[in-house]
Amino acid sequence: MLKSVRNKIKTESVDRSGLFASLYIIACANGLTARIVKSIHSRGWFDATVGNFDVSIIVWVACFVGVSLVLSERAGKIQKADLVLSAALLLLIALPIGATSWLAVAILSLYILFLGRPADSLRRGAIVLLAVTIPMFWSRVVFNLFARYILEIDAIFVRWVLGTERTGNLVEFVDHSGSLAILPSCSSLANVSLALLCWATVSQFARHKWRSQDILWCLLACFSVFAVNVLRVSLMGVSGSFYLMLHSPPVEVLLSIIMLGLVVSISLAGIRHDSVIGS
């Protein structure tokens, strides 16, 4: 009896799913903690808590779903390449920079998808966790490289709604009392990346089979949050008083809930023909 227990523990200790899940948990926890600490320092405990520490509920759910999928199916014994990669990723995660943890998540996911010969649940979990890195890492990289152009795109649409003058990322208030500056926190890019993550999480959790129509559903989810954000910023551009009212934490939470409802509803509608939900 004791021998069989030892054999079982030994077998489970070399399971690839357990190794990959452990790496994902460490990396996600480190990346999320860095974001939480930054949010508290910049906004204070109350505003940071109300704003969910600047981490969307979609990200929290996606991390849980992704790790759960990775753990839900045994993936065989650990390979030497897995150990080499794990050591390198742990060094990357250990760096005192939150972004490197998300880079580690992306590298691990790509390794599993293209070199790891993954089982079904492991593959789906890797896709979800790779998608998590879009809003948590890649969208920020893209924004840092093309911030000027991204903010000007938002400003063009806001100017079109308000019908006032625009200079770069500045749009004149409707009451001509000043100009609204569209800052990085008001950019639609972050919301669009969350829409992509929501679609990936829902579709992979539901074992959704890829169809050409999925592109349209995904674009619809992205457009919906883009439209809501442009409308929000446009209302801010009515006057200074509107700006102060709509820039308060409670209103931001309400808008986040509206966007969440939209992307979840559209994602569920896109997979409505699938008969199997869950893993």
Side-chain angles (χ1 to χ4, degrees):
M1 177 69 179
L2 185 60
K3 183 178 179 181
S4 64
V5 172
R6 284 200 299 264
N7 289 336
K8 182 178 180 182
I9 293 174
K10 183 179 179 181
T11 301
E12 290 180 351
S13 67
V14 294
D15 181 46
R16 300 180 83 207
S17 294
L19 173 65
F20 294 148
S22 298
L23 290 170
Y24 276 131
I25 291 172
I26 295 171
C28 290
N30 196 52
L32 290 170
T33 299
R35 181 68 65 85
I36 290 171
V37 171
K38 181 179 179 181
S39 176
I40 293 172
H41 283 172
S42 62
R43 304 177 64 178
W45 272 101
F46 179 77
D47 287 347
T49 303
V50 172
N52 202 28
F53 303 104
D54 295 328
V55 179
S56 171
I57 187 65
I58 297 175
V59 172
W60 291 103
V61 172
C63 288
F64 177 79
V65 170
V67 172
S68 298
L69 288 172
V70 171
L71 283 171
S72 65
E73 186 173 341
R74 295 185 62 81
K77 293 184 178 181
I78 296 173
Q79 309 296 318
K80 289 183 179 180
D82 300 338
L83 295 175
V84 173
L85 178 68
S86 298
L89 293 181
L90 286 173
L91 290 175
L92 192 60
I93 295 169
L95 294 175
I97 305 172
T100 58
S101 293
W102 299 115
L103 180 59
V105 171
I107 293 172
L108 178 57
S109 297
L110 292 172
Y111 170 78
I112 292 172
L113 292 172
F114 294 104
L115 299 175
R117 298 186 298 277
D120 179 63
S121 292
L122 179 57
R123 177 186 59 80
R124 292 188 290 125
I127 291 174
V128 172
L129 288 161
L130 179 61
V132 169
T133 66
I134 297 175
M136 300 303 289
F137 180 74
W138 297 113
S139 66
R140 295 172 180 273
V141 172
V142 172
F143 187 86
N144 289 335
L145 292 174
F146 306 104
R148 173 186 172 185
Y149 304 103
I150 292 171
L151 293 176
E152 285 189 0
I153 290 173
D154 281 311
I156 289 171
F157 281 91
V158 171
R159 182 262 174 198
W160 178 74
V161 173
L162 296 178
T164 56
E165 296 298 321
R166 178 188 71 87
T167 303
N169 65 324
L170 298 175
V171 181
E172 187 181 14
F173 283 129
V174 173
D175 63 359
H176 306 295
S177 60
S179 295
L180 169 68
I182 300 180
L183 302 175
S185 59
C186 298
S187 172
S188 298
L189 179 62
N191 296 316
V192 169
S193 64
L194 288 172
L196 293 173
L197 173 58
C198 183
W199 170 261
T201 303
V202 171
S203 62
Q204 293 305 312
F205 179 74
R207 293 181 183 271
H208 176 69
K209 294 182 179 180
W210 173 259
R211 304 189 305 258
S212 59
Q213 305 95 296
D214 292 345
I215 297 176
L216 296 178
W217 285 106
C218 195
L219 289 175
L220 180 59
C222 294
F223 176 78
S224 68
V225 295
F226 176 80
V228 170
N229 190 67
V230 168
L231 178 60
R232 162 182 168 263
V233 178
S234 297
L235 289 174
M236 288 183 182
V238 173
S239 65
S241 59
F242 269 73
Y243 174 84
L244 293 175
M245 178 183 68
L246 293 171
H247 216 270
S248 62
V251 175
E252 290 180 354
V253 171
L254 177 60
L255 287 168
S256 296
I257 293 173
I258 292 173
M259 290 184 185
L260 175 64
L262 281 172
V263 295
V264 171
S265 298
I266 293 172
S267 297
L268 290 174
I271 64 169
R272 68 188 185 281
H273 297 301
D274 293 348
S275 57
V276 179
I277 301 295
S279 57

